[in-house]
Amino acid sequence: GKAKVTLIKNLLASTAENVYDESGVLASVRQSGSGLIQIDKAMQTKVILHDGENVSRITLGDRIGNEFTVSFYAENLSDTEVIFDGASIELSSDDYKNYNGKNIYYGIRKLNATFTGDSTVVVNPNSSKKVSFNITLDADDITYLEAAMTNGFFVDGKVTLSVSDKTHPSVGIPFTGFYGKWDKIQALDESDVNGSIAFSTDIMGNT
C-alpha cells in the first residue's frame, strides 16, 4: 500500500550517497535530490530521516537570512537503540560569471558555514527524535552572491548523521531554502524582439 511505498522511498533517500561536481562541491539538491541510491545501505539501516510528515527532504522556504535552523526527525524502525556520534552539513548555491556585461548562472559554489547542534543523537527503539541544527552562513559568501543575485539566491544543503565505528550506515536528509524575498523576483519583462511582454529568464537583478 501507500505506507509501504513511502517507507521504501524514505529508506532509499535516507541512505543515498551525496553527489558532487568535479570540484568536490555538493551538487544542487534541487537537481540531485538525496543523491545516489545505495540498495545495500537501505536494507541495513534501522533509522530513516524525514520532515515529520514522512518526506525525506526539508523545504525551508524563502527569507531564511544568514542564520537559520534545519529541523527533522530521526525515526528508529528497530527494537534496538541507535547512537549517531557524528554530524556534518554541506552547503552549496548557484555560481555565476560575467558574460557580455551580464551575470549569468555558471556552475555551483560551495558555501562556507558554521553550525551548532547535538554532537550525539540517540534514537530509542521504535521511536522518533527531533533533531535541529542552527546554521550561520559565511558573510563573504553572502556578499559575493548578492553582488550579482540582488533578489536573493538558493541555499542547498544536506545533513548527514554518522556512526564512527561504522556499525550502522550513515543517514542524511537534503534541504533547500531561498536567501532573500522570492516574491521580489521579476516574473515578466519586455521582450528584446518586439517590445511584447515575456516571461523573464533573468533573476539575478541585471539591468
Side-chain angles (χ1 to χ4, degrees):
K2 183 178 180 180
K4 183 176 289 186
V5 171
T6 299
L7 175 59
I8 292 172
K9 286 182 177 180
N10 288 343
L11 287 167
L12 293 172
S14 295
T15 55
E17 188 175 281
N18 293 358
V19 177
Y20 299 93
D21 73 355
E22 62 276 5
S23 302
V25 179
L26 181 71
S28 169
V29 299
R30 286 169 284 136
Q31 297 179 350
S32 63
S34 296
L36 298 175
I37 290 174
Q38 307 292 308
I39 299 294
D40 56 335
K41 293 181 179 178
M43 296 176 65
Q44 295 168 11
T45 188
K46 300 174 183 177
V47 175
I48 59 174
L49 306 183
H50 58 77
D51 66 349
E53 297 183 359
N54 279 323
V55 178
S56 285
R57 65 177 182 274
I58 303 166
T59 301
L60 299 174
D62 66 348
R63 306 171 192 246
I64 60 174
N66 64 312
E67 297 182 6
F68 57 93
T69 300
V70 172
S71 298
F72 56 91
Y73 291 84
E75 182 176 352
N76 189 344
L77 306 173
S78 76
D79 296 326
T80 58
E81 179 183 76
V82 178
I83 302 175
F84 295 99
D85 55 8
S88 63
I89 300 178
E90 296 179 83
L91 300 102
S92 63
S93 184
D94 301 302
D95 206 349
Y96 65 90
K97 72 173 183 178
N98 191 275
Y99 180 76
N100 287 339
K102 280 194 173 185
N103 293 315
I104 62 171
Y105 288 122
Y106 189 80
I108 55 177
R109 174 185 177 88
K110 176 182 178 180
L111 294 182
N112 297 300
T114 58
F115 70 92
T116 58
D118 294 334
S119 57
T120 300
V121 176
V122 179
V123 192
N124 294 325
N126 300 302
S127 65
S128 295
K129 179 180 179 63
K130 186 175 183 179
V131 183
S132 297
F133 292 97
N134 299 313
I135 300 173
T136 302
L137 298 176
D138 180 76
D140 289 340
D141 284 340
I142 293 175
T143 299
Y144 169 82
L145 292 173
E146 284 188 321
M149 306 178 199
T150 56
N151 294 312
F153 52 86
F154 283 101
V155 176
D156 294 321
K158 188 173 181 181
V159 180
T160 301
L161 303 180
S162 58
V163 178
S164 58
D165 62 9
K166 308 298 183 182
T167 54
H168 188 280
S170 297
V171 290
I173 186 167
F175 61 86
T176 298
F178 190 78
Y179 180 97
K181 299 179 180 179
W182 182 255
D183 57 4
K184 296 299 183 182
I185 293 177
Q186 184 177 349
L188 299 171
D189 59 13
E190 185 172 319
S191 170
D192 292 335
V193 178
N194 56 17
S196 62
I197 298 299
F199 285 102
S200 176
T201 57
D202 179 10
I203 66 172
M204 283 197 170
N206 289 315
T207 57

